[in-house]
Amino acid sequence: MTFSFKKILPHLAVVLVFIVTALLYFSPVLSGKKMYQSDIQQYRGMAKELMDHREQTGEELYWTDAAFGGMPTYQLGAKYPHNWIKSLDLGIRFLPRPADYLFLYFLGFYILLLVLKLDWRYAGLGALAFGFSSYLIIILGVGHNAKAHAIAYMPLVLSGILLTFRKKYIWGFLLTAVAMALEIVANHVQMTYYLMLLVIVLGIAYFIDAILKKELPHFFKSVGILVLAVGLAIGSNAASLMATSEYSSFSTRGTSELTINPDGTPKEAVAGLDKAYINQYSYGISETLNLFIAGLYGGSNSEPYDKDSAFTEFLMRQGVPPAQVESIFGQFGLYYWGSQPGVSGPAYLGAVVVFLFVLGLFLVRGRIKWWLTGGTVLALLLSYGGNLAWFTDLWIDYFPLYNKFRAVTSIQVIAELCVPVLAIFGLYKVLQKTEPLDRKLNALKWTTGITGGLALIILLFNGSLFSFAGGNDAYYIQNFGMEFITAVKEDRKALLVSDTIKTLVLVLIAAGLIWFYLKDKLKETQVIVAIAVLIVFDLVNVDRRYVNTENFMSARLVEQPFQPTQADKEILKDTTRYRVYEQSVGLNGARTSYFHNSIGGYHGAKPARLQDLIEFYLYEGNLVPLNLLNTKYIITQNEEGQEQVQINPQAAGNAWFVQNVKVVPDADAEILALDSINVRQTAVIQQEFAGLLERNVFPQDSTESIKLVEHRGDYLKYQSQASGDKLAVFSEVYYPNGWQAYLDGKPTEHFKVDYILRGMKVPEGKHVIEFKFEPQVVRTGSTISLASNVILVVLLLGALAFSIKRSRETEA
């Protein structure tokens, strides 16, 4: 086989450009700094116990006590045996974070365009347009790393699928299997689900095309091959997928056991999230124009400070000292005035990219145009959420698993992928000699008229087209006066006008470049380079508003995101086992988890039973959940904002014997009964567990005891002494899939009591009770992963050997 270095050299050069570009954009990483990412800081709080255990013992911890009273670490970065795909992923992401994700954006999209038979110049341009689209940069700024990770592998998955449909069955199969395995290892199910929707659209386009070309056998053969590839990818990630699935049914993403709400009204029996929660972040229909004009709806809630803004002038008129203006400016976050509760920045695709996309609609033909357009339209329609309720409700009610995901605007990632692909094809079509000149000129005329005309209309009539009124403006008027919000509206309008002018200028320059090419005044490469400069200048200019060098700080501060307060230090003197509730953090933050075992945390899928208890009791001021989960310390703040540590005298302790058992028929009765009992004296169990006990009354005497003598995340050891059979209640979350109970070293049964805790019948005498977290799902899944990875490696080596052999035969 002849190796042509000349052919591969341009690709190596492009990859080098990607590496340099990623490092330059995130240049502080070169000096050892790290990006402050709010979500990642929360993750560090949640995963602190896991990471400490791994560092100290070299072993993996699959259960943490630090969050939500106790939960599996499956969604907190747990590592599984035989996860070869994860090793491959880490090898690809060799740059410092977050430059590694930006590089991955570039690389995946570049490969996709090469598979679509575009040469390296167009593919490189497309990769830059995709990687620098503002949404993909902004999610890195806030720390949605798993989302960015999954998005970066989407183009690679599509590459494998397209190769298969092009009858490159062997390499299409292998690329799909490896890419899909990488996609899954990114561990963002929502993004992978959205990729599936795009693949369905692609499949429909290819199915219709196969009917028209009478190639249905090839279509179904390709589908069969792709199904096998996805199956192998799933097998390679079996441990993580099986563990996630197991936990999902236990979390708020599963079906609730309850049939009533806290107020007693019937609870809608839906296996998924509430519609209002799903649609909380719904894209305004007119906000779609943000794809084309970045500042149309005020940009973000943290729009950069402008010393010449009307709001700044307003503050100055109020007598605010100049040195304080910027800090006060940053406290309000008023510029965004769209439909969502708040955004970190617009989902801006780029003026030139959108211009080329529209050009592609006129010039590109065939199935590629239809699946890219179909994917874009579907993504936009679904992103409207509650603003297009009839359409969204159809999907929530009838499309499998759609109701498992919130923040519907996230599906815009499909448009972020499809639009640049069609845009680059539009540029390619207009710069090639395959289309008649008059058709290209006509397409250019219409594209310029549509995009430039839209920008011009917005520029000329913005005052009558838009109100510039935000959802919270009435509150600010009431509290700060009309002049306050008038200044804000002036700034919103100014941002719209400046960005619209920029968009219009970019459109006209892009149109002019293409027109000069069509008139033989410029060469193809000159146009490509000029367009690349425009796109990168435009996108990076917007990206820098939201993610820049100010996002970086010393590695030490990032790796130690929370510093202990005096309250933390006081509590940590207590070396016994207990939980902490910090009122200022609440139940949706991970700062407490960084230092203590907390009943709160930061995660999109909370343990469902804990959430039920919180909604039924804690939100109403009833401390039942805190007492049950041995929340010994409550951190409060006095009127001066100083922290105070309060000891909760009702905290039940680590374990106790009860005198009475109250048997109830179902989960509804179980959770309601907790309000009328002394949990230290009475346990509530459902009828299904009543058969494990011979009686419901257990007399107590002063000699009996049960105490915790050893503990870590996945292991608990107790010693008990009793004069008769007892029912012990343990202040530990009941999770049946993995926790094994042992009495004097022998397996024994335990069961759910008090809606969320563990109970066990303990016989007379002295005994040692142990709980060990031994998840079978990890062992089974890891075995499947090993087998799948071996098969994948064997197939890959076989394909390489076959290709080499066939190449040699061809040369001979």
Side-chain angles (χ1 to χ4, degrees):
M1 181 174 68
T2 302
F3 178 77
S4 175
F5 184 75
K6 185 177 179 181
K7 288 184 179 180
I8 200 172
L9 183 59
H11 303 302
L12 293 176
V14 169
V15 171
L16 181 60
V17 168
F18 291 161
I19 293 172
V20 172
T21 302
L23 290 173
L24 286 177
Y25 188 85
F26 294 115
S27 58
V29 300
L30 297 173
S31 59
K33 291 186 177 181
K34 292 190 175 183
M35 177 179 281
Y36 177 85
Q37 299 170 297
S38 56
D39 275 28
I40 297 304
Q41 304 311 85
Q42 296 290 336
Y43 162 77
R44 287 180 181 275
M46 290 283 286
K48 180 69 160 50
E49 184 181 20
L50 165 64
M51 293 188 288
D52 286 349
H53 182 86
R54 184 186 294 156
E55 182 179 348
Q56 294 164 7
T57 68
E59 299 175 353
E60 203 62 19
L61 187 68
Y62 293 111
W63 184 272
T64 179
D65 292 312
F68 298 122
M71 66 180 290
T73 61
Y74 304 148
Q75 296 296 298
L76 300 178
K79 296 180 180 179
Y80 304 98
H82 313 306
N83 196 347
W84 298 359
I85 293 297
K86 184 62 179 180
S87 299
L88 174 62
D89 168 60
L90 292 173
I92 298 171
R93 294 189 295 114
F94 58 90
L95 294 178
R97 188 167 297 173
D100 58 341
Y101 290 120
L102 183 55
F103 170 70
L104 207 58
Y105 289 158
F106 293 152
L107 184 63
F109 203 82
Y110 181 72
I111 292 172
L112 173 60
L113 292 185
L114 291 179
V115 167
L116 288 169
K117 298 184 177 180
L118 291 176
D119 73 32
W120 64 270
R121 298 170 301 168
Y122 291 94
L125 170 57
L128 294 172
F130 173 70
F132 279 129
S133 56
S134 69
Y135 181 81
L136 301 191
I137 298 297
I138 288 167
I139 60 175
L140 293 177
V142 297
H144 293 172
N145 289 358
K147 179 185 287 187
H149 198 176
I151 293 169
Y153 281 127
M154 286 181 178
L156 205 59
V157 176
L158 293 174
S159 300
I161 293 171
L162 292 168
L163 273 180
T164 305
F165 278 122
R166 282 175 40 201
K167 302 184 180 180
K168 305 290 185 180
Y169 297 126
I170 295 176
W171 290 110
F173 169 83
L174 290 171
L175 181 55
T176 302
V178 172
M180 193 64 210
L182 290 167
E183 171 69 27
I184 294 170
V185 89
N187 196 29
H188 200 292
V189 179
Q190 186 171 0
M191 292 300 104
T192 304
Y193 182 87
Y194 291 156
L195 172 62
M196 180 197 72
L197 297 184
L198 178 59
V199 171
I200 290 174
V201 174
L202 184 153
I204 292 172
Y206 271 78
F207 178 66
I208 294 172
D209 189 68
I211 292 174
L212 296 175
K213 294 179 179 177
K214 299 181 180 180
E215 292 184 344
L216 283 176
H218 157 64
F219 174 83
F220 287 115
K221 179 180 179 179
S222 299
V223 171
I225 290 171
L226 292 171
V227 169
L228 291 175
V230 172
L232 195 56
I234 291 172
S236 297
N237 289 278
S240 62
L241 289 174
M242 292 170 65
T244 297
S245 176
E246 180 184 274
Y247 173 69
S248 178
S249 61
F250 178 79
S251 77
T252 50
R253 302 297 174 98
T255 303
S256 175
E257 297 178 273
L258 300 177
T259 64
I260 57 172
N261 293 308
D263 61 2
T265 58
K267 186 182 185 72
E268 186 179 358
V270 176
L273 302 175
D274 179 74
K275 286 183 180 179
Y277 188 59
I278 292 172
N279 291 323
Q280 183 180 9
Y281 284 84
S282 294
Y283 205 44
I285 294 176
S286 58
E287 276 188 85
T288 306
L289 294 172
N290 271 348
L291 303 175
F292 185 50
I293 301 171
L296 189 74
Y297 273 86
S300 76
N301 295 92
S302 56
E303 201 64 21
Y305 168 71
D306 181 358
K307 63 180 181 181
D308 296 323
S309 68
F311 188 63
T312 301
E313 292 179 4
F314 165 77
L315 293 176
M316 298 287 284
R317 289 197 301 272
Q318 303 305 308
V320 176
Q324 297 182 17
V325 169
E326 184 171 357
S327 62
I328 293 176
F329 180 93
Q331 292 175 13
F332 286 97
L334 298 170
Y335 281 179
Y336 174 74
W337 55 281
S339 298
Q340 301 173 70
V343 294
S344 298
Y348 181 59
L349 286 170
V352 178
V353 173
V354 172
F355 169 81
L356 294 176
F357 172 78
V358 177
L359 186 66
L361 293 175
F362 286 103
L363 292 178
V364 179
R365 299 173 181 174
R367 58 198 178 191
I368 186 172
K369 170 183 175 178
W370 296 116
W371 71 261
L372 290 171
T373 305
T376 300
V377 171
L378 178 64
L380 290 176
L381 292 176
L382 287 175
S383 73
Y384 297 145
N387 295 316
L388 195 65
W390 68 269
F391 186 72
T392 302
D393 287 350
L394 288 175
W395 284 74
I396 293 174
D397 294 336
Y398 300 110
F399 203 87
L401 303 179
Y402 191 81
N403 62 358
K404 300 289 186 180
F405 309 112
R406 67 182 292 264
V408 293
T409 50
S410 295
I411 200 173
Q412 286 178 341
V413 299
I414 299 304
E416 300 275 343
L417 194 158
C418 291
V419 169
V421 175
L422 190 56
I424 299 303
F425 265 92
L427 179 64
Y428 174 78
K429 282 289 186 180
V430 82
L431 297 185
Q432 299 305 301
K433 306 298 183 183
T434 55
E435 298 291 330
L437 179 60
D438 60 342
R439 184 168 184 264
K440 290 192 281 190
L441 286 169
N442 192 52
L444 178 63
K445 177 184 69 176
W446 278 101
T447 300
T448 306
I450 291 170
T451 55
L454 177 61
L456 188 60
I457 289 172
I458 291 173
L459 189 60
L460 296 176
F461 300 101
N462 61 76
S464 55
L465 292 173
F466 304 105
S467 67
F468 300 101
N472 295 321
D473 285 3
Y475 168 83
Y476 291 110
I477 292 172
Q478 181 179 354
N479 287 273
F480 303 107
M482 180 60 72
E483 190 178 356
F484 176 98
I485 210 64
T486 298
V488 171
K489 285 186 175 182
E490 287 181 27
D491 287 344
R492 291 170 179 169
K493 182 176 181 179
L495 183 58
L496 179 149
V497 169
S498 64
D499 276 6
T500 304
I501 291 173
K502 187 191 75 170
T503 289
L504 180 58
V505 170
L506 288 169
V507 164
L508 294 177
I509 292 175
L513 288 169
I514 294 172
W515 187 85
F516 277 114
Y517 169 80
L518 295 177
K519 295 299 183 179
D520 294 323
K521 304 294 184 181
L522 290 173
K523 295 181 179 180
E524 179 186 3
T525 301
Q526 291 174 322
V527 176
I528 294 173
V529 171
I531 291 290
V533 170
L534 286 180
I535 289 175
V536 172
F537 167 80
D538 177 24
L539 290 173
V540 170
N541 180 266
V542 173
D543 295 340
R544 286 291 187 183
R545 296 180 189 175
Y546 310 106
V547 182
N548 49 55
T549 56
E550 294 180 3
N551 295 79
F552 289 83
M553 57 180 62
S554 72
R556 184 185 63 82
L557 292 176
V558 173
E559 291 168 358
Q560 298 177 8
F562 305 106
Q563 301 303 315
T565 64
Q566 190 59 43
D568 295 322
K569 294 175 183 178
E570 180 180 340
I571 293 171
L572 288 170
K573 293 176 183 177
D574 186 342
T575 58
T576 63
R577 182 178 171 83
Y578 52 83
R579 294 186 178 88
V580 176
Y581 174 52
E582 189 170 1
Q583 288 185 340
S584 63
V585 174
L587 300 165
N588 295 302
R591 200 207 82 85
T592 317
S593 300
Y594 192 79
F595 300 104
H596 316 285
N597 291 339
S598 171
I599 67 162
Y602 187 84
H603 201 275
K606 305 173 186 177
R609 292 195 189 104
L610 176 63
Q611 184 64 25
D612 292 337
L613 282 175
I614 289 167
E615 291 177 359
F616 271 75
Y617 292 105
L618 197 57
Y619 286 166
E620 301 301 320
N622 191 320
L623 299 186
V624 163
L626 305 189
N627 301 337
L628 286 172
L629 288 166
N630 191 29
T631 309
K632 185 177 180 180
Y633 297 103
I634 300 174
I635 302 176
T636 63
Q637 289 185 340
N638 59 25
E639 294 180 356
E640 290 75 33
Q642 297 174 327
E643 287 189 334
Q644 295 180 323
V645 177
Q646 295 182 356
I647 296 179
N648 176 18
Q650 301 301 317
N654 293 308
W656 59 92
F657 292 131
V658 295
Q659 293 177 310
N660 306 295
V661 175
K662 183 175 183 178
V663 180
V664 294
D666 52 33
D668 293 343
E670 186 177 14
I671 197 170
L672 291 174
L674 295 175
D675 193 32
S676 59
I677 64 168
N678 181 331
V679 297
R680 291 278 303 186
Q681 296 179 355
T682 302
V684 183
I685 68 171
Q686 288 189 42
Q687 184 65 47
E688 62 178 300
F689 299 121
L692 298 174
L693 302 173
E694 289 81 16
R695 50 199 173 95
N696 294 340
V697 178
F698 299 88
Q700 291 185 333
D701 62 54
S702 59
T703 63
E704 63 191 28
S705 66
I706 181 169
K707 59 182 179 179
L708 180 68
V709 294
E710 187 178 343
H711 61 88
R712 63 174 184 265
D714 58 358
Y715 178 76
L716 300 161
K717 182 179 180 180
Y718 304 83
Q719 290 179 347
S720 72
Q721 179 175 322
S723 57
D725 290 351
K726 300 293 179 182
L727 174 61
V729 176
F730 303 88
S731 183
E732 304 296 334
V733 171
Y734 177 74
Y735 187 81
N737 302 310
W739 278 106
Q740 305 296 326
Y742 297 88
L743 183 69
D744 299 327
K746 297 180 180 180
T748 189
E749 287 189 271
H750 72 289
F751 46 89
K752 178 168 68 72
V753 303
D754 294 344
Y755 193 73
I756 193 173
L757 302 183
R758 305 175 200 169
M760 179 193 295
K761 187 176 74 171
V762 178
E764 179 183 0
K766 293 183 178 181
H767 298 282
V768 173
I769 301 165
E770 296 171 292
F771 283 98
K772 300 177 183 179
F773 193 57
E774 302 168 326
Q776 180 62 42
V777 69
V778 173
R779 293 193 291 271
T780 302
S782 297
T783 301
I784 296 172
S785 294
L786 176 61
S788 299
N789 286 327
V790 169
I791 292 171
L792 187 56
V793 170
V794 169
L795 290 175
L796 183 59
L797 293 175
L800 285 170
F802 176 77
S803 297
I804 293 171
K805 180 182 177 182
R806 190 166 65 173
S807 178
R808 287 175 176 172
E809 290 174 351
T810 302
E811 291 174 5

